[in-house]
Amino acid sequence: MSKMRKEETTKNVWVTTHGDQWAVKIAGEAKPLKVFDRKTDAMEFAKEQAKEEKTELISQKRDGKINLKDSYGHDSRKTKG
């Protein structure tokens, strides 16, 4: 199994709370890409970002627990779907 070099790894896209709003963030970045009033709007934007970057979309509930993980790239070729 080959290891990915650090520069080949992509950063996951997160949907998380931002006060009373919802933020779309890139893992490791301090500032959100964009902030939304509704989680559905944040999810839509985050999904497009994850597709563009071919990475994971991870969503959290208000309590911080992860409630969704979707992959938009780098899946094993053996994986169906």
Coordinates of all heavy atoms in Angstrom, one line a residue:
M1 N 0.8 -1.2 0.0 CA 0.0 0.0 0.0 C 0.9 1.2 0.0 O 1.7 1.4 0.9 CB -0.9 0.0 1.2 CG -1.8 1.2 1.3 SD -2.8 1.0 2.8 CE -4.4 1.4 2.1
S2 N 0.7 2.1 -1.0 CA 1.5 3.3 -1.0 C 1.0 4.4 -0.2 O -0.2 4.5 0.0 CB 1.7 3.8 -2.5 OG 0.4 4.2 -3.0
K3 N 1.9 5.2 0.4 CA 1.4 6.3 1.2 C 1.3 7.6 0.3 O 2.1 7.8 -0.6 CB 2.5 6.6 2.3 CG 2.5 5.6 3.3 CD 3.5 5.9 4.4 CE 3.5 4.9 5.5 NZ 4.5 5.2 6.5
M4 N 0.3 8.4 0.6 CA 0.1 9.7 -0.2 C 1.1 10.7 0.4 O 1.3 10.7 1.6 CB -1.3 10.2 0.1 CG -2.3 9.8 -0.9 SD -3.7 10.9 -0.6 CE -4.8 10.2 -1.9
R5 N 1.8 11.4 -0.5 CA 2.6 12.5 -0.1 C 1.7 13.6 0.5 O 0.6 13.7 0.1 CB 3.4 13.0 -1.2 CG 4.5 12.0 -1.7 CD 5.5 12.6 -2.6 NE 4.9 13.5 -3.6 CZ 4.8 13.3 -4.9 NH1 5.2 12.2 -5.4 NH2 4.3 14.2 -5.7
K6 N 2.3 14.4 1.4 CA 1.5 15.4 2.1 C 0.8 16.3 1.1 O -0.3 16.7 1.3 CB 2.4 16.2 3.0 CG 1.6 17.0 4.0 CD 2.6 17.6 5.0 CE 1.7 18.4 6.1 NZ 2.6 18.8 7.2
E7 N 1.5 16.8 0.0 CA 0.9 17.7 -0.9 C -0.2 17.1 -1.8 O -0.9 17.8 -2.4 CB 2.0 18.4 -1.8 CG 2.8 17.4 -2.6 CD 4.0 16.8 -1.9 OE1 4.2 17.0 -0.7 OE2 4.9 16.2 -2.6
E8 N -0.3 15.8 -1.8 CA -1.4 15.1 -2.5 C -2.7 15.0 -1.8 O -3.7 14.8 -2.3 CB -0.9 13.7 -3.0 CG 0.2 13.7 -4.0 CD 0.7 12.3 -4.3 OE1 0.4 11.4 -3.5 OE2 1.3 12.2 -5.3
T9 N -2.6 15.2 -0.5 CA -3.8 15.1 0.3 C -4.7 16.3 0.2 O -4.2 17.4 0.0 CB -3.5 14.9 1.8 OG1 -2.8 16.0 2.3 CG2 -2.7 13.6 2.0
T10 N -6.0 16.1 0.2 CA -6.9 17.2 0.1 C -7.6 17.5 1.4 O -7.6 16.5 2.3 CB -8.0 16.9 -1.0 OG1 -8.7 15.7 -0.6 CG2 -7.5 16.8 -2.4
K11 N -8.0 18.6 1.6 CA -8.6 19.0 2.9 C -10.1 18.9 2.9 O -10.8 19.4 1.9 CB -8.2 20.4 3.3 CG -6.7 20.5 3.5 CD -6.3 21.9 4.0 CE -4.8 21.9 4.3 NZ -4.4 23.2 4.9
N12 N -10.7 18.2 3.8 CA -12.1 18.0 3.9 C -12.9 19.3 4.0 O -12.4 20.3 4.6 CB -12.5 17.1 5.0 CG -11.9 15.7 4.9 OD1 -11.7 15.3 3.8 ND2 -11.7 15.0 6.0
V13 N -14.1 19.3 3.5 CA -15.0 20.4 3.6 C -16.0 20.1 4.8 O -16.6 19.0 4.8 CB -15.8 20.6 2.3 CG1 -16.8 21.8 2.4 CG2 -14.8 20.9 1.1
W14 N -16.1 21.0 5.7 CA -17.0 20.9 6.9 C -18.1 21.8 6.9 O -18.0 23.0 6.5 CB -16.2 21.1 8.1 CG -15.2 20.0 8.5 CD1 -14.0 19.8 7.9 CD2 -15.4 19.0 9.5 NE1 -13.4 18.7 8.5 CE2 -14.2 18.2 9.5 CE3 -16.4 18.7 10.4 CZ2 -14.0 17.1 10.3 CZ3 -16.2 17.7 11.3 CH2 -15.1 16.9 11.2
V15 N -19.3 21.3 7.4 CA -20.4 22.2 7.7 C -20.6 22.1 9.2 O -20.8 21.0 9.8 CB -21.7 21.8 7.0 CG1 -22.9 22.6 7.4 CG2 -21.6 21.8 5.5
T16 N -20.5 23.3 9.8 CA -20.5 23.3 11.3 C -21.2 24.6 11.7 O -21.4 25.5 11.0 CB -19.0 23.2 11.8 OG1 -19.1 23.2 13.2 CG2 -18.2 24.4 11.4
T17 N -21.5 24.7 13.0 CA -22.1 25.9 13.6 C -21.2 27.0 13.6 O -20.0 26.9 13.7 CB -22.7 25.6 15.0 OG1 -21.6 25.2 15.8 CG2 -23.8 24.6 14.9
H18 N -21.8 28.2 13.5 CA -21.0 29.5 13.6 C -21.9 30.5 14.3 O -22.7 31.2 13.7 CB -20.7 30.0 12.2 CG -19.8 31.1 12.1 ND1 -18.4 31.0 12.3 CD2 -20.0 32.4 11.9 CE1 -17.8 32.2 12.2 NE2 -18.8 33.1 12.0
G19 N -21.9 30.4 15.6 CA -22.9 31.1 16.4 C -24.3 30.5 16.2 O -24.4 29.3 16.3
D20 N -25.2 31.4 15.7 CA -26.6 30.9 15.4 C -26.7 30.5 13.9 O -27.8 30.2 13.5 CB -27.6 32.0 15.7 CG -27.8 32.2 17.2 OD1 -27.4 31.3 18.0 OD2 -28.3 33.2 17.6
Q21 N -25.6 30.6 13.2 CA -25.6 30.3 11.8 C -24.8 29.0 11.5 O -24.4 28.3 12.4 CB -25.0 31.5 11.0 CG -25.8 32.7 11.2 CD -25.1 33.9 10.5 OE1 -24.0 34.2 10.8 NE2 -25.8 34.6 9.6
W22 N -24.7 28.7 10.2 CA -23.9 27.6 9.7 C -22.8 28.0 8.8 O -23.0 28.8 7.9 CB -24.9 26.6 8.9 CG -25.9 26.0 9.8 CD1 -27.2 26.5 10.0 CD2 -25.8 24.9 10.6 NE1 -27.8 25.7 10.9 CE2 -27.0 24.7 11.3 CE3 -24.8 24.0 10.9 CZ2 -27.2 23.7 12.2 CZ3 -25.0 23.0 11.8 CH2 -26.2 22.8 12.4
A23 N -21.6 27.5 9.1 CA -20.4 27.8 8.3 C -19.9 26.6 7.5 O -20.0 25.5 7.9 CB -19.3 28.3 9.2
V24 N -19.4 27.0 6.3 CA -18.7 26.0 5.5 C -17.2 26.3 5.6 O -16.8 27.5 5.4 CB -19.1 26.1 4.0 CG1 -18.3 25.1 3.2 CG2 -20.6 25.8 3.9
K25 N -16.4 25.3 6.1 CA -15.0 25.5 6.4 C -14.2 24.4 5.7 O -14.7 23.3 5.4 CB -14.7 25.4 7.9 CG -15.3 26.5 8.7 CD -14.9 26.4 10.2 CE -15.4 27.6 11.0 NZ -14.9 27.5 12.4
I26 N -13.0 24.8 5.4 CA -12.0 23.8 4.9 C -11.2 23.4 6.1 O -10.7 24.3 6.9 CB -11.1 24.4 3.8 CG1 -11.9 25.0 2.6 CG2 -10.0 23.4 3.3 CD1 -12.7 23.9 1.9
A27 N -10.9 22.1 6.3 CA -10.2 21.6 7.4 C -8.8 22.3 7.5 O -8.1 22.5 6.5 CB -10.0 20.1 7.3
G28 N -8.5 22.8 8.7 CA -7.2 23.4 8.9 C -7.2 24.9 8.7 O -6.3 25.6 9.0
E29 N -8.3 25.5 8.1 CA -8.4 26.9 7.9 C -9.2 27.6 9.0 O -10.1 27.0 9.5 CB -9.2 27.2 6.6 CG -8.5 26.6 5.3 CD -7.2 27.3 5.0 OE1 -7.1 28.5 5.2 OE2 -6.3 26.6 4.5
A30 N -8.7 28.7 9.5 CA -9.3 29.4 10.6 C -10.7 30.1 10.2 O -11.6 30.0 11.0 CB -8.4 30.5 11.1
K31 N -10.7 30.7 9.0 CA -11.9 31.4 8.6 C -12.8 30.5 7.8 O -12.3 29.8 6.9 CB -11.5 32.7 7.8 CG -10.9 33.8 8.6 CD -10.7 35.0 7.8 CE -10.2 36.2 8.6 NZ -10.1 37.4 7.8
P32 N -14.1 30.7 7.9 CA -15.0 29.9 7.1 C -15.0 30.5 5.6 O -14.7 31.7 5.4 CB -16.4 30.2 7.7 CG -16.3 31.2 8.7 CD -14.8 31.5 9.0
L33 N -15.3 29.6 4.7 CA -15.4 30.0 3.3 C -16.7 30.9 3.1 O -16.6 32.0 2.5 CB -15.6 28.8 2.4 CG -14.4 28.0 2.0 CD1 -14.9 26.8 1.2 CD2 -13.4 28.8 1.3
K34 N -17.7 30.5 3.8 CA -19.0 31.2 3.7 C -19.9 30.9 4.9 O -19.8 29.8 5.4 CB -19.7 30.9 2.4 CG -20.7 31.9 1.9 CD -21.1 31.6 0.5 CE -22.0 32.6 0.0 NZ -22.5 32.4 -1.4
V35 N -20.7 31.8 5.3 CA -21.7 31.6 6.4 C -23.1 31.7 6.0 O -23.4 32.6 5.1 CB -21.4 32.6 7.6 CG1 -22.3 32.4 8.7 CG2 -19.9 32.4 8.1
F36 N -24.0 30.8 6.4 CA -25.4 30.8 6.0 C -26.3 30.8 7.2 O -26.0 30.4 8.3 CB -25.6 29.5 5.2 CG -24.8 29.4 4.0 CD1 -23.5 28.8 4.0 CD2 -25.3 29.8 2.7 CE1 -22.8 28.7 2.9 CE2 -24.6 29.6 1.6 CZ -23.3 29.1 1.6
D37 N -27.5 31.3 7.0 CA -28.6 31.3 8.0 C -29.2 29.9 8.1 O -29.6 29.5 9.2 CB -29.7 32.3 7.7 CG -29.2 33.7 7.9 OD1 -28.3 34.0 8.8 OD2 -29.7 34.6 7.1
R38 N -29.2 29.2 7.0 CA -29.9 27.8 7.0 C -28.9 26.7 6.6 O -28.0 26.9 5.8 CB -31.0 27.8 5.9 CG -32.1 28.8 6.2 CD -33.2 28.8 5.1 NE -32.8 28.1 3.9 CZ -33.7 27.6 3.0 NH1 -34.9 27.6 3.3 NH2 -33.2 27.0 1.9
K39 N -29.0 25.6 7.4 CA -28.1 24.5 7.1 C -28.2 24.0 5.7 O -27.2 23.6 5.1 CB -28.3 23.4 8.2 CG -27.2 22.3 8.1 CD -27.4 21.3 9.2 CE -26.3 20.3 9.1 NZ -26.4 19.3 10.2
T40 N -29.4 23.9 5.2 CA -29.6 23.4 3.9 C -28.8 24.2 2.8 O -28.2 23.6 1.9 CB -31.1 23.3 3.5 OG1 -31.7 24.6 3.6 CG2 -31.9 22.3 4.3
D41 N -28.8 25.5 3.0 CA -28.0 26.3 2.1 C -26.5 26.1 2.2 O -25.7 26.0 1.2 CB -28.3 27.8 2.3 CG -29.7 28.2 2.0 OD1 -30.3 27.5 1.1 OD2 -30.2 29.2 2.6
A42 N -26.0 25.9 3.4 CA -24.6 25.6 3.7 C -24.3 24.2 3.1 O -23.2 24.1 2.5 CB -24.4 25.6 5.2
M43 N -25.1 23.3 3.2 CA -24.9 21.9 2.7 C -24.8 22.0 1.2 O -23.9 21.3 0.6 CB -26.0 21.0 3.1 CG -26.0 20.6 4.6 SD -24.5 19.7 5.1 CE -24.8 18.2 4.2
E44 N -25.6 22.7 0.5 CA -25.6 22.8 -0.9 C -24.3 23.4 -1.4 O -23.6 22.9 -2.3 CB -26.8 23.7 -1.4 CG -27.2 23.5 -2.8 CD -28.5 24.3 -3.0 OE1 -29.6 24.0 -2.4 OE2 -28.4 25.2 -3.9
F45 N -23.9 24.5 -0.7 CA -22.6 25.1 -1.1 C -21.4 24.2 -0.8 O -20.5 24.0 -1.6 CB -22.4 26.4 -0.3 CG -21.2 27.2 -0.5 CD1 -21.0 27.9 -1.7 CD2 -20.1 27.1 0.4 CE1 -19.8 28.6 -1.9 CE2 -18.9 27.8 0.2 CZ -18.8 28.5 -1.0
A46 N -21.4 23.5 0.4 CA -20.3 22.6 0.8 C -20.2 21.4 -0.2 O -19.1 21.0 -0.5 CB -20.6 22.1 2.2
K47 N -21.4 20.9 -0.7 CA -21.3 19.8 -1.6 C -20.6 20.2 -2.9 O -19.8 19.4 -3.4 CB -22.8 19.4 -1.9 CG -22.9 18.1 -2.7 CD -24.3 17.7 -2.9 CE -24.5 16.5 -3.8 NZ -25.9 16.1 -3.9
E48 N -20.9 21.4 -3.4 CA -20.2 21.9 -4.6 C -18.7 22.0 -4.4 O -17.9 21.7 -5.2 CB -20.8 23.2 -5.1 CG -22.3 23.0 -5.6 CD -22.4 21.9 -6.7 OE1 -21.6 21.9 -7.7 OE2 -23.3 21.1 -6.6
Q49 N -18.4 22.5 -3.2 CA -16.9 22.7 -2.9 C -16.2 21.3 -2.8 O -15.1 21.2 -3.3 CB -16.8 23.4 -1.5 CG -17.2 24.9 -1.6 CD -16.5 25.7 -2.5 OE1 -15.2 25.7 -2.6 NE2 -17.2 26.4 -3.4
A50 N -16.9 20.4 -2.2 CA -16.3 19.0 -2.0 C -16.1 18.4 -3.4 O -15.1 17.7 -3.6 CB -17.2 18.2 -1.1
K51 N -17.1 18.6 -4.3 CA -17.0 18.0 -5.6 C -15.9 18.6 -6.4 O -15.1 17.9 -7.1 CB -18.3 18.2 -6.4 CG -19.5 17.3 -6.0 CD -20.7 17.6 -6.8 CE -21.8 16.7 -6.5 NZ -23.0 17.0 -7.3
E52 N -15.7 19.9 -6.3 CA -14.6 20.6 -7.0 C -13.3 20.2 -6.5 O -12.4 20.0 -7.3 CB -14.8 22.2 -6.8 CG -15.8 22.8 -7.6 CD -15.9 24.3 -7.3 OE1 -14.9 24.9 -6.9 OE2 -17.0 24.9 -7.6
E53 N -13.2 20.0 -5.2 CA -11.9 19.6 -4.6 C -11.7 18.1 -4.6 O -10.6 17.6 -4.2 CB -11.8 20.2 -3.2 CG -11.8 21.7 -3.1 CD -10.6 22.3 -3.9 OE1 -9.5 21.8 -3.8 OE2 -10.9 23.3 -4.5
K54 N -12.7 17.3 -5.0 CA -12.7 15.9 -4.9 C -12.2 15.4 -3.5 O -11.2 14.7 -3.4 CB -11.7 15.3 -6.0 CG -12.2 15.7 -7.4 CD -11.3 15.0 -8.4 CE -12.0 15.2 -9.8 NZ -11.5 16.2 -10.6
T55 N -13.0 15.8 -2.5 CA -12.7 15.5 -1.2 C -13.9 15.0 -0.4 O -15.0 14.8 -1.0 CB -12.0 16.7 -0.5 OG1 -11.5 16.3 0.8 CG2 -12.9 17.9 -0.4
E56 N -13.8 15.0 0.9 CA -14.9 14.6 1.8 C -15.8 15.8 2.2 O -15.2 16.8 2.5 CB -14.4 13.9 3.0 CG -13.7 12.6 2.8 CD -14.6 11.4 2.9 OE1 -15.6 11.4 3.7 OE2 -14.3 10.4 2.2
L57 N -17.1 15.6 2.3 CA -18.0 16.5 2.9 C -18.4 16.0 4.3 O -18.8 14.8 4.4 CB -19.2 16.8 2.1 CG -20.4 17.5 2.7 CD1 -20.0 18.9 3.2 CD2 -21.5 17.6 1.8
I58 N -18.2 16.7 5.3 CA -18.5 16.3 6.7 C -19.4 17.3 7.3 O -19.1 18.5 7.3 CB -17.2 16.1 7.6 CG1 -16.3 15.0 6.9 CG2 -17.6 15.6 9.0 CD1 -14.9 15.0 7.5
S59 N -20.5 16.9 7.9 CA -21.5 17.8 8.5 C -21.7 17.4 9.9 O -21.7 16.3 10.3 CB -22.8 17.6 7.7 OG -23.9 18.4 8.4
Q60 N -21.8 18.5 10.7 CA -22.0 18.3 12.2 C -23.4 18.8 12.5 O -23.9 19.8 11.9 CB -21.0 19.1 13.0 CG -19.6 18.6 12.8 CD -18.6 19.4 13.6 OE1 -18.5 20.6 13.3 NE2 -17.9 18.8 14.6
K61 N -23.9 18.3 13.6 CA -25.2 18.8 14.2 C -24.8 19.9 15.1 O -23.6 20.2 15.4 CB -25.9 17.7 15.0 CG -26.3 16.5 14.1 CD -27.3 15.6 14.8 CE -26.5 14.6 15.7 NZ -27.4 13.6 16.3
R62 N -25.8 20.6 15.6 CA -25.6 21.7 16.5 C -24.8 21.3 17.8 O -24.0 22.1 18.3 CB -26.9 22.4 17.0 CG -27.5 23.2 15.9 CD -28.0 24.5 16.4 NE -28.6 25.3 15.3 CZ -27.9 26.3 14.8 NH1 -26.7 26.6 15.2 NH2 -28.4 27.0 13.8
D63 N -24.9 20.0 18.2 CA -24.2 19.6 19.4 C -22.7 19.2 19.1 O -22.0 18.7 19.9 CB -24.9 18.4 20.1 CG -25.0 17.2 19.2 OD1 -24.5 17.1 18.1 OD2 -25.7 16.2 19.7
G64 N -22.3 19.3 17.8 CA -21.0 19.0 17.4 C -20.7 17.6 16.9 O -19.7 17.3 16.4
K65 N -21.8 16.7 17.0 CA -21.6 15.4 16.6 C -21.7 15.3 15.0 O -22.5 16.0 14.5 CB -22.7 14.4 17.2 CG -22.5 14.3 18.7 CD -23.5 13.3 19.2 CE -23.3 13.2 20.7 NZ -24.4 12.4 21.4
I66 N -20.9 14.5 14.4 CA -20.9 14.3 13.0 C -22.2 13.5 12.6 O -22.5 12.5 13.2 CB -19.7 13.6 12.5 CG1 -18.5 14.5 12.7 CG2 -19.8 13.2 11.0 CD1 -17.1 13.8 12.4
N67 N -22.9 14.0 11.7 CA -24.2 13.3 11.2 C -24.1 13.0 9.8 O -25.1 12.3 9.3 CB -25.4 14.2 11.6 CG -25.5 15.4 10.7 OD1 -24.5 16.0 10.4 ND2 -26.7 15.8 10.4
L68 N -23.1 13.3 9.0 CA -23.0 13.0 7.6 C -21.5 13.0 7.2 O -20.8 13.9 7.5 CB -23.8 14.0 6.8 CG -23.7 13.8 5.3 CD1 -24.7 12.8 4.8 CD2 -23.8 15.1 4.6
K69 N -21.2 12.0 6.4 CA -19.9 12.0 5.7 C -20.2 11.5 4.3 O -20.8 10.5 4.1 CB -18.9 11.0 6.3 CG -18.2 11.5 7.5 CD -17.1 10.6 8.0 CE -16.4 11.1 9.1 NZ -15.3 10.2 9.5
D70 N -19.8 12.3 3.3 CA -19.9 12.0 1.9 C -18.6 12.2 1.2 O -17.9 13.2 1.4 CB -21.0 12.9 1.2 CG -22.3 12.2 1.0 OD1 -22.3 11.0 0.9 OD2 -23.3 12.9 0.9
S71 N -18.2 11.2 0.3 CA -17.0 11.3 -0.4 C -17.2 11.7 -1.8 O -18.1 11.2 -2.5 CB -16.2 10.0 -0.3 OG -15.1 10.1 -1.1
Y72 N -16.5 12.7 -2.3 CA -16.6 13.1 -3.7 C -15.3 13.0 -4.5 O -15.0 13.8 -5.3 CB -17.1 14.6 -3.7 CG -18.5 14.7 -3.2 CD1 -18.7 15.1 -1.9 CD2 -19.6 14.4 -4.0 CE1 -20.0 15.2 -1.4 CE2 -20.9 14.5 -3.5 CZ -21.1 14.9 -2.3 OH -22.3 15.0 -1.8
G73 N -14.5 12.0 -4.1 CA -13.3 11.7 -4.8 C -12.4 10.8 -4.0 O -12.6 10.5 -2.8
H74 N -11.3 10.4 -4.7 CA -10.3 9.5 -4.1 C -10.9 8.2 -3.5 O -10.3 7.7 -2.6 CB -9.5 10.3 -3.0 CG -8.9 11.5 -3.6 ND1 -7.8 11.4 -4.5 CD2 -9.1 12.8 -3.3 CE1 -7.5 12.7 -4.8 NE2 -8.2 13.5 -4.1
D75 N -12.0 7.7 -4.1 CA -12.5 6.4 -3.6 C -11.7 5.3 -4.3 O -11.1 5.5 -5.4 CB -13.9 6.2 -4.1 CG -14.9 7.1 -3.3 OD1 -14.5 7.5 -2.1 OD2 -16.0 7.4 -3.7
S76 N -11.6 4.2 -3.6 CA -10.9 3.1 -4.2 C -11.7 2.6 -5.5 O -12.9 2.7 -5.5 CB -10.9 1.9 -3.2 OG -10.6 0.7 -3.8
R77 N -10.9 2.2 -6.5 CA -11.5 1.8 -7.7 C -12.3 0.5 -7.6 O -13.2 0.2 -8.4 CB -10.5 1.6 -8.8 CG -9.8 2.9 -9.2 CD -9.0 2.7 -10.5 NE -8.3 4.0 -10.8 CZ -8.8 4.9 -11.6 NH1 -10.0 4.8 -12.1 NH2 -8.1 6.0 -11.9
K78 N -12.1 -0.2 -6.5 CA -12.8 -1.4 -6.2 C -14.2 -1.2 -5.6 O -15.0 -2.0 -5.5 CB -12.0 -2.3 -5.2 CG -10.7 -2.8 -5.9 CD -9.9 -3.6 -4.9 CE -8.6 -4.0 -5.5 NZ -7.8 -4.8 -4.5
T79 N -14.4 0.1 -5.1 CA -15.7 0.4 -4.5 C -16.8 0.6 -5.5 O -16.6 1.3 -6.5 CB -15.5 1.8 -3.7 OG1 -14.5 1.6 -2.7 CG2 -16.8 2.1 -3.0
K80 N -17.9 -0.1 -5.3 CA -19.0 0.0 -6.3 C -19.8 1.3 -5.9 O -19.9 1.7 -4.8 CB -19.9 -1.2 -6.2 CG -19.3 -2.4 -6.7 CD -20.2 -3.6 -6.7 CE -19.6 -4.9 -7.1 NZ -20.5 -6.0 -7.1
G81 N -20.4 1.9 -7.0 CA -21.3 3.0 -6.7 C -20.8 4.3 -7.2 O -20.0 4.9 -7.5

